[in-house]
Amino acid sequence: MSQANIGVVGLAVMGSNLARNLASREGNTVAIYNRSYDKTEALVAAHPEANFVAAQTIQEFAASLSAPRTAIIMVKAGAGTDAVIDQLCQVFEPGDIIVDGGNALFTDTIRREAAVRATGINFVGAGISGGEEGALTGPSIMPGGSAEAWETLGPILRSIAAIAEGEPCVTHVGTDGAGHFVKMIHNGIEYADMQLIAEAYDLIRRGTGKSPAQIADIFAEWNTGELESYLIEITAEVLRQVDASTGKPLVDVIVDEAGSKGTGVWTVQTALSLGTPVSGIAEAVFARGLSSHPEQRALAANFPGPDNFSVADEDAFIEDVRQALYASKIVAYSQGFDAIRAGAAEYNWTINLGEVARIWRGGCIIRAQFLNRITEAYRADESLALLMAAPYFADAVATAQSAWRRVVIAATQAGIPAPAFGSSLSYYDGLRADRLPAAVVQGQRDFFGAHTYRRVDKDGTFHTQWSGDRTEISAVDTH
């Protein structure tokens, strides 16, 4: 019965679109299976042109695949994924490949990979970005897993990935959970990017009184320069949209409560555990959280604050906002790549940061022109410790920092929340500070918990006997 070289399990919109993408590429025949056979039949009926092999049972699905059997799971993360993995492990053989293409938490992927590897079957956690459209026309793909699995899977994934500047947007990211880890960080950066764009819109609208459609024109103009990106492009489209029932701008009838599916939260939680600041991403997550508490916002509606906000020179203010947006965006990406580096060190992955930037240039939600500059920065210096320190980005932030400050000052004086702009600027200033107040924090920690401190003028660690005569002793003497 072996007819297919690749299979897809789970035929909701993402799975169906990915199966159609695979079937449309020369050389691919796609086995498809869904727990409810009605969905399988509907997909086959809707697309008779596709090279599908429909299976009613998991046994039929496995029998229709040529060796090494390769199946991509596209089901809801969590217990459903574990259930499908268990089913496939019962009908697959050593050397076969199971790919989880959902948004799994990377630690779950590490656990699953170890368990599946014990059976001799390869398990791959693959981050897939681009949404429903990307799944159909070409996503950015971030697979982890073994080198053996990549040998079989690589050509298949290259056949369906987005193409940017002639190169497929897929690479073997690393072992076990590395692919899902990088996808998680991608989504965290996405949160920051979206929040920054929203703050730019809010400042321009409140400061100039321009309509959403007029701001859409501004964003469209920005999209022809260094801010060119998918998110700027679609924001202009959103702002131009008019609600059919009211005639108002659609953005004015959408409830101002932003939801999330967890990957931004995972990014912040993971970065905290790694000791890596991702303040721009964190503020974006917190901004969504604040927006989703209308009962608290109602209680605070009469809190005092500035009454109005206007700018004298609209063109100059809009240009300041553009520069502040670009500088803050650089911070978000720099922090995201810091988190990838820290994760790689913690989990013993070898991740090529330049390759990550390269595969994000097309297909994914955060695709942007300046990802080329990130790729170039890491190709020039693979050990680059701070992306913002690369010449291109250092110059860009230096050029923008005066405008950035004016925007944060204006937002503060006007009482307009701009948490991602403000935190990004504070991070920049924290990096450039000759001396941080962390010395005070260390003194406090030593006072109440004898946590010790180091000195600027001698080696070793020390403790002051705060409850005694307050003499300083070597930390060695405290044990």
Side-chain angles (χ1 to χ4, degrees):
M1 290 180 62
S2 301
Q3 304 172 57
N5 65 311
I6 182 69
V8 176
V9 179
L11 300 177
V13 175
M14 281 290 289
S16 295
N17 282 2
L18 191 69
R20 289 172 58 195
N21 186 350
L22 284 160
S24 71
R25 310 297 173 163
E26 185 177 353
N28 287 342
T29 299
V30 184
I32 53 175
Y33 170 75
N34 194 77
R35 185 175 58 176
S36 168
Y37 189 59
D38 290 346
K39 282 192 175 180
T40 308
E41 288 184 307
L43 182 61
V44 172
H47 299 283
E49 79 287 352
N51 293 322
F52 288 145
V53 179
Q56 293 193 52
T57 68
I58 201 74
Q59 291 80 9
E60 285 184 14
F61 176 77
S64 68
L65 289 164
S66 57
R69 299 179 184 89
T70 304
I72 302 176
I73 302 171
M74 298 297 290
V75 300
K76 187 175 181 180
T81 300
D82 284 319
V84 173
I85 292 169
D86 289 344
Q87 286 182 307
L88 288 173
C89 283
Q90 292 173 23
V91 294
F92 275 21
E93 298 175 346
D96 292 345
I97 304 166
I98 299 172
V99 182
D100 177 11
N103 267 340
L105 180 60
F106 74 95
T107 49
D108 287 341
T109 303
I110 292 173
R111 168 180 59 80
R112 289 167 178 152
E113 194 277 337
V116 173
R117 178 168 20 98
T119 71
I121 298 169
N122 290 289
F123 184 80
V124 174
I128 299 177
S129 178
E132 297 172 9
E133 180 183 353
L136 180 61
T137 62
S140 174
I141 313 175
M142 295 148 260
S146 66
E148 177 189 7
W150 174 245
E151 189 174 335
T152 296
L153 196 58
I156 297 170
L157 296 184
R158 280 192 287 266
S159 77
I160 64 167
I163 302 296
E165 300 186 19
E167 297 179 312
C169 294
V170 60
T171 192
H172 183 212
V173 175
T175 54
D176 53 60
H180 276 145
F181 182 90
V182 167
K183 174 57 162 56
M184 177 190 73
I185 300 299
H186 164 283
N187 285 23
I189 294 171
E190 178 185 309
Y191 273 61
D193 214 341
M194 293 170 71
Q195 176 66 23
L196 289 166
I197 293 169
E199 290 179 15
Y201 155 79
D202 196 30
L203 285 162
I204 293 172
R205 188 165 188 188
R206 294 213 224 179
T208 68
K210 291 186 181 296
S211 69
Q214 289 172 315
I215 301 173
D217 291 338
I218 293 168
F219 278 29
E221 175 62 27
W222 288 357
N223 202 44
T224 64
E226 60 193 4
L227 278 170
E228 180 189 346
S229 67
Y230 173 70
L231 284 171
I232 291 286
E233 176 189 340
I234 67 168
T235 303
E237 294 298 317
V238 170
L239 295 179
R240 283 198 183 98
Q241 185 67 20
V242 175
D243 177 52
S245 60
T246 64
K248 296 178 180 178
L250 178 64
V251 73
D252 286 346
V253 300
I254 295 175
V255 174
D256 60 336
E257 299 174 22
S260 67
K261 290 189 175 180
T263 46
V265 174
W266 293 347
T267 299
V268 177
Q269 291 172 331
T270 302
L272 283 171
S273 71
L274 294 171
T276 302
V278 291
S279 51
I281 297 170
E283 288 296 347
V285 173
F286 295 147
R288 293 195 190 189
L290 187 150
S291 78
S292 299
H293 286 281
E295 75 290 350
Q296 293 182 332
R297 294 165 60 195
L299 291 172
N302 292 322
F303 285 4
D307 293 328
N308 53 60
F309 175 46
S310 62
V311 297
D313 187 333
E314 291 185 359
D315 290 342
F317 178 71
I318 291 168
E319 173 58 18
D320 278 356
V321 173
R322 185 193 70 81
Q323 291 192 46
L325 174 57
Y326 192 52
S328 298
K329 182 184 178 86
I330 290 170
V331 167
Y333 281 73
S334 186
Q335 291 179 342
F337 277 90
D338 280 349
I340 294 174
R341 180 188 296 102
E346 176 70 17
Y347 295 99
N348 199 29
W349 297 320
T350 300
I351 299 178
N352 185 316
L353 298 180
E355 278 291 281
V356 171
R358 182 189 67 77
I359 67 171
W360 286 352
R361 294 181 304 174
C364 70
I365 303 302
I366 63 171
R367 58 186 183 266
Q369 181 193 81
F370 92 145
L371 281 161
N372 282 314
R373 307 288 82 80
I374 297 177
T375 300
E376 291 166 3
Y378 284 117
R379 284 177 177 170
D381 182 1
E382 292 182 6
S383 61
L384 181 64
L386 177 68
L387 179 60
M388 289 173 62
Y392 174 87
F393 296 110
D395 290 346
V397 173
T399 299
Q401 64 107 10
S402 294
W404 199 3
R405 296 184 192 284
R406 288 193 293 269
V407 168
V408 172
I409 290 168
T412 303
Q413 291 178 330
I416 297 173
F421 275 146
S423 67
S424 299
L425 180 57
S426 290
Y427 174 79
Y428 168 79
D429 283 334
L431 286 174
R432 55 180 290 276
D434 286 338
R435 187 164 171 79
L436 292 167
V440 175
V441 175
Q442 279 300 92
Q444 295 167 336
R445 294 179 73 238
D446 189 59
F447 189 104
F448 66 69
H451 291 295
T452 74
Y453 53 84
R454 290 181 292 115
R455 297 176 57 99
V456 298
D457 55 355
K458 63 177 77 171
D459 293 334
T461 55
F462 301 89
H463 166 62
T464 293
Q465 300 185 89
W466 298 102
S467 59
D469 61 5
R470 301 206 170 189
T471 57
E472 182 181 80
I473 59 174
S474 170
V476 175
D477 297 331
T478 68
H479 299 290

